[in-house]
Amino acid sequence: MSTSRYPKYKDSGVQWLREVPDHWLVGKIHSFAKKESGHTPSRQHPEYWENCTIPWFTLADVWQIRSDNVKYVHETKELVSELGLANSSARLLPAGTVILSRTASVGYSAIMGREMATTQDFVNWICYPQCRPEFLLYVLRGMRTEFQRLMMGSTHQTLYMPDIAKLAMSLPPVDEQSTIVRFLDRETDKIDALIAEQEKLLTLLAEKHQATILRAVTRGLNCDVRMKNSGVVWLGQVPVHWVVCTLRRVLFRIEQGWSPECINRPADGLEWGVLKAGCLNGGVFNPVENKALPETLDPVAALEVLHGDLLMSRASGSPKLVGSVAYVSEPPPRLMLSDKIFRLHPMGWVLPRFLAAALNSVPLRLQIEASISGAEGLANNLPQSSLKDFWIAIPPEQEQEDIAAFIETETTKLNTLKNEVERVIALLSERRSAVIAAAVTGKIDVRNAVSQELAA
């Protein structure tokens, strides 16, 4: 990549732009593109939701653009009717319209690849002739820090329309926009390919982690041990001296917590907090995933989470997260169980650290997923009665200790590799953002780089 500075700059008068090339225009985005907001037709009129044929981009579609490597969107999860649009402030927008998510998943952007409408969660721009949609898209992706600044101090992650109306950009001539877009397409494709390779490595590490746990909790650490048929399809062959039984024999008590109406932020200082089901995602206890208990409510001390506890998520919006288990080590004080979490009390002959690993293994996951009710996005629940009927293989106590220690050691090694890969991904993502921001604000002159590419 051969780039340089422009020969002459001027002060843009805009904080995030700073100096821009002298021949570039500076102005509000709505000076270069017509701003449109989306809307949702009234649900109180069923006739607005009949004969729906028009693509309607909603928050359910944001997943398509979260990676920032999707430029055009063509499909939507929902459709809206012509009658619904006619009776709302939303309207059908042309292909080439640039969309920006302004609530919940703030700052993600794309270009409509076909005519569609959006909800009020998006702000949309129809570019005037002097502004290429692809260039505006890169501008929006280059001003992520500006979006973060505007959201500061807000309880809800939202970009408000008055702030959006003030958003400014710099605009080079159309042919230069095309050059910058070509440059960024090429450079971001290179970075995205590197990120994709690192993400593949993360997948391989996760598979290695799961395979390590699976072998240890179903085969043990002795490769020469005699095996027997467990009689359970989920478990297959297990060491001959292990006990195969249901969790009914393993657990002498299952507690469930309390979920009062809490403040939507983590507990701070001397406050009590109520844990969210997400505190157990990935089989790792995350105490930050809690909501503060209001001062008007008295805490239930008996529900406080303690060192050595074994916790399991009972319910979640995603079936994949139901049944996540974590062993708790030295938690902060004043955190209570919610009613979406089980506290499992194993018999004295079962080590909680071993049981945590076994419950997170593939055989138990299969049983959990076969037992929960509901579907993706709904309330998925794991009944205690089903949990007690899950089959498991338990080795002698010393072997449980050895297996738990082995899994912890291997997990530490794999997590070290995982953290390094994630660090590389973060650096590549930062590089991607920096290149975009530099190009769309004129901090680098990419015209020569593109000319060299075309001449090659």
Side-chain angles (χ1 to χ4, degrees):
M1 181 179 69
S2 176
T3 61
S4 60
R5 295 269 294 172
Y6 281 87
K8 190 175 181 182
Y9 285 84
K10 64 183 177 183
D11 183 8
S12 69
V14 178
Q15 181 179 347
W16 86 275
L17 292 174
R18 293 174 297 175
E19 287 188 335
V20 298
D22 188 60
H23 64 289
W24 287 22
L25 300 175
V26 176
K28 302 290 194 296
I29 294 179
H30 63 72
S31 300
F32 310 119
K34 183 180 180 183
K35 181 166 64 67
E36 296 274 358
S37 61
H39 198 257
T40 301
S42 174
R43 300 282 186 180
Q44 296 180 354
H45 290 269
E47 65 273 20
Y48 293 172
W49 298 95
E50 298 173 354
N51 303 314
C52 296
T53 58
I54 299 171
W56 188 50
F57 206 85
T58 72
L59 288 179
D61 300 301
V62 172
W63 65 269
Q64 298 183 53
I65 59 177
R66 278 204 183 101
S67 65
D68 268 355
N69 59 10
V70 172
K71 187 178 288 188
Y72 302 97
V73 290
H74 298 86
E75 303 299 327
T76 62
K77 184 177 181 180
E78 295 188 67
L79 302 174
V80 69
S81 71
E82 292 183 10
L83 182 62
L85 278 188
N87 287 275
S88 78
S89 57
R91 73 182 189 90
L92 186 62
L93 300 171
T97 299
V98 182
I99 64 175
L100 175 74
S101 176
R102 69 179 192 88
T103 64
S105 298
V106 177
Y108 295 106
S109 51
I111 300 171
M112 291 182 182
R114 59 188 292 192
E115 288 186 329
M116 61 178 67
T118 75
T119 66
Q120 61 275 15
D121 300 298
F122 299 85
V123 60
N124 314 295
W125 286 279
I126 303 172
C127 291
Y128 297 142
Q130 76 266 41
C131 180
R132 282 197 60 190
E134 292 81 5
F135 182 80
L136 177 55
L137 176 66
Y138 276 124
V139 168
L140 295 176
R141 292 180 175 179
M143 62 192 304
R144 193 64 55 81
T145 55
E146 181 71 355
F147 298 150
Q148 292 170 349
R149 181 185 69 82
L150 292 172
M151 290 187 296
M152 280 185 183
S154 174
T155 302
H156 303 287
Q157 295 294 292
T158 302
L159 286 175
Y160 294 100
M161 294 303 284
D163 289 327
I164 290 172
K166 298 175 185 176
L167 292 176
M169 64 180 284
S170 52
L171 189 73
V174 173
D175 59 344
E176 197 169 336
Q177 293 175 47
S178 299
T179 299
I180 293 170
V181 168
R182 279 198 300 271
F183 169 82
L184 289 176
D185 284 347
R186 184 189 68 192
E187 294 302 315
T188 56
D189 282 350
K190 291 178 184 176
I191 296 172
D192 289 340
L194 294 173
I195 290 174
E197 289 299 317
Q198 295 299 311
E199 289 174 340
K200 286 180 184 177
L201 184 52
L202 282 181
T203 299
L204 292 174
L205 289 172
E207 291 173 354
K208 171 69 174 176
H209 185 223
Q210 192 56 251
T212 299
I213 294 174
L214 174 61
R215 178 167 183 81
V217 300
T218 59
R219 302 290 187 272
L221 305 180
N222 183 0
C223 297
D224 299 324
V225 69
R226 285 198 304 122
M227 306 294 285
K228 67 180 179 182
N229 189 343
S230 68
V232 181
V233 66
W234 311 104
L235 295 175
Q237 296 276 318
V238 298
V240 69
H241 61 290
W242 287 21
V243 175
V244 178
C245 61
T246 64
L247 286 176
R248 195 177 300 277
R249 281 188 57 191
V250 172
L251 303 173
F252 72 85
R253 185 184 176 197
I254 301 176
E255 282 184 273
Q256 195 168 319
W258 171 48
S259 289
E261 190 71 31
C262 290
I263 303 169
N264 191 25
R265 59 167 176 78
D268 185 28
L270 299 178
E271 292 180 313
W272 280 79
V274 178
L275 290 170
K276 299 189 288 186
C279 73
L280 306 173
N281 290 352
V284 177
F285 179 64
N286 182 5
V288 176
E289 288 292 315
N290 74 82
K291 291 185 177 182
L293 186 72
E295 293 182 357
T296 54
L297 297 177
D298 293 326
V300 180
L303 294 178
E304 184 176 11
V305 175
L306 305 172
H307 174 77
D309 278 350
L310 187 60
L311 306 183
M312 171 184 276
S313 61
R314 177 190 66 82
S316 173
S318 172
K320 296 177 182 178
L321 300 179
V322 177
S324 295
V325 177
Y327 175 79
V328 178
S329 178
E330 300 181 354
R334 301 183 182 85
L335 292 178
M336 293 190 301
L337 299 174
S338 72
D339 71 352
K340 292 186 177 181
I341 297 176
F342 290 142
R343 176 155 50 190
L344 309 180
H345 295 268
M347 299 290 189
W349 54 279
V350 180
L351 186 71
R353 286 161 50 238
F354 170 83
L355 187 56
L359 290 174
N360 281 320
S361 67
V362 171
L364 270 295
R365 283 304 315 165
L366 292 172
Q367 295 177 78
I368 289 168
E369 291 169 9
S371 300
I372 59 177
S373 59
E376 186 81 32
L378 302 176
N380 303 282
N381 298 283
L382 178 61
Q384 286 194 33
S385 57
S386 297
L387 174 62
K388 292 176 182 177
D389 288 335
F390 293 160
W391 287 90
I392 193 169
I394 306 291
E397 290 183 56
Q398 183 56 55
E399 202 169 343
Q400 292 178 48
E401 182 71 50
D402 293 343
I403 290 171
F406 170 78
I407 290 174
E408 288 169 4
T409 299
E410 293 302 305
T411 297
T412 298
K413 293 178 184 176
L414 290 170
N415 282 341
T416 299
L417 293 173
K418 176 187 172 186
N419 292 339
E420 176 58 23
V421 173
E422 290 176 338
R423 186 186 72 84
V424 171
I425 290 175
L427 289 173
L428 288 170
S429 298
E430 289 174 9
R431 170 63 178 165
R432 190 183 195 279
S433 297
V435 168
I436 292 173
V440 300
T441 59
K443 302 301 180 293
I444 54 176
D445 184 351
V446 305
R447 293 172 294 181
N448 187 50
V450 174
S451 297
Q452 291 174 355
E453 178 197 4
L454 295 175

